[in-house]
Amino acid sequence: MVASGTSPDVKPTSANTVEEIKAYLDAHQITYPSSALKADLLALVGGDRA
């Protein structure tokens, strides 16, 4: 499930919520620990984290 207003094909950034980032990772079958912090999740996305 992807949060409204968030496309599963657009990489999340620090402006996204943790839940939106997790939804992106789930949609792309990228695993992450349940205890992962926002910065850890963004690192898995591989996007720019200004």
Side-chain angles (χ1 to χ4, degrees), residues 32-49:
Y32 53 88
S34 60
S35 60
L37 301 176
K38 187 173 187 176
D40 299 325
L41 297 171
L42 288 171
L44 291 171
V45 168
D48 295 327
R49 296 184 340 193

Side-chain angles (χ1 to χ4, degrees), residues 1-10 12 16-17 19-28:
M1 178 176 160
V2 176
S4 63
T6 303
S7 170
D9 295 323
V10 176
N16 292 94
T17 66
E19 289 305 315
E20 290 170 338
I21 299 166
K22 286 181 176 181
Y24 174 90
L25 294 172
D26 290 340
H28 291 84

